Amino acid sequence: VYDNKSYTFAYKQVEGRISMSDKQLTLNAVEVLTAGPAKIKSTLKLLGEIKLNADKSVQIVSRVGGIVEKVSVNAGDNVRKGQVLATVSSQTIADIRSDLLAAQKRVGLARTTYEREKQLWEEKISAQQDYLQAQNDLQEAEINLSRVQQKLGALGAGTSGTGQARYDIRSPIDGVVTLKKVSQGQVISDIDSLFEVSDLSTVWAEMTIYAKDINTVKSGQQVTVKAAAFDANAVGKIAYVSSLVGEQSRTAMARVVLNNPNKTWLPGLPVNIELTSSEADVPLAVSIEGIQSLNEETVVFGRYGSYFEARPIKLGRKDDKYAEVLEGLNAGEKYAAGNSYLIKADIGKAGASHEH
């Protein structure tokens, strides 16, 4: 009898019971909790992989064909918006810049002619028709110049440069060079993808969902993403669940957008993803830390006065914090939780000395 309640010890005294004072509890940092109700979360564990955020990744092409004169960056380099990634020698650019020079000279010549004809007309020396023709020629020359300038602008080439044929390929965003498929001397066309630059401040964690779990996974659910290769985890929400199941794999895909300010989550990294699929209130539960195995039975160590007694229990549902107790322990009973393995070790020592 303890605390006006009767308990039946499951083991002989030496076998499953040990004395430990409150002072010893403190020294050994053994945590004592009270068995009672708890919320048990049902979690779904899924496998996933970190992927580039495709919304923040850019495939970079040269807008003109030519020969690569210089490559200024490598895969893995950080780049800023507008930074030169490579330089190309392009006949197309050379031709357009030649057109530009000719158009600029034509405008200069047309302006000189216009100003002269205007003065002659104002002085009543020449006919108005000659003045209007000169005005029209100037306007046409200016339109042609503007057209050539716009053509260069559309290609991302400056209207002036150190070389007539030189064309700089620049990064359109701040980010990291995640793919480089070009080298010096290479002949390229205007459709070749040369670089991929990605903003890694956010990444996607994509998970595979099996058919039986598809109805469990919903957009907006909170998930925990854990790295498989090292100790790192992050919390995010499901942003997208695919509406199609693969014909071969019979799986669907869901995606979480993760903030990645320290570049912890690198594309290609395998991850484990946990989400809470349901939550249940149970009348009696104990901490997972308090559950031990003794003589091939699942036990917790109940606290009765200065003694700990091994109590065989039958468990029901459990999560990473609590386990439901179906038999073997009453609500309100105290038990060892944190560092309960020390009590198991002491009982083991006591049993060994008794056998001798």
Side-chain angles (χ1 to χ4, degrees), residues 73-77 176-180:
V73 295
N74 284 305
D77 288 355
V176 176
V177 179
T178 45
L179 196 62
K180 167 182 169 261

Side-chain angles (χ1 to χ4, degrees), residues 235-278:
V235 174
K237 288 187 176 180
I238 293 175
Y240 168 77
V241 180
S242 68
S243 54
L244 298 174
V245 174
E247 286 184 20
Q248 303 297 325
S249 64
R250 296 299 173 194
T251 60
M253 184 275 289
R255 179 184 299 143
V256 179
V257 180
L258 291 180
N259 288 321
N260 191 31
N262 300 320
K263 309 293 187 289
T264 304
W265 306 101
L266 298 177
L269 187 73
V271 290
N272 298 312
I273 299 169
E274 295 181 5
L275 65 91
T276 301
S277 55
S278 62

Side-chain angles (χ1 to χ4, degrees), residues 14 348-356:
V14 175
K349 289 175 193 172
S353 64
H354 177 64
E355 285 169 13
H356 293 302

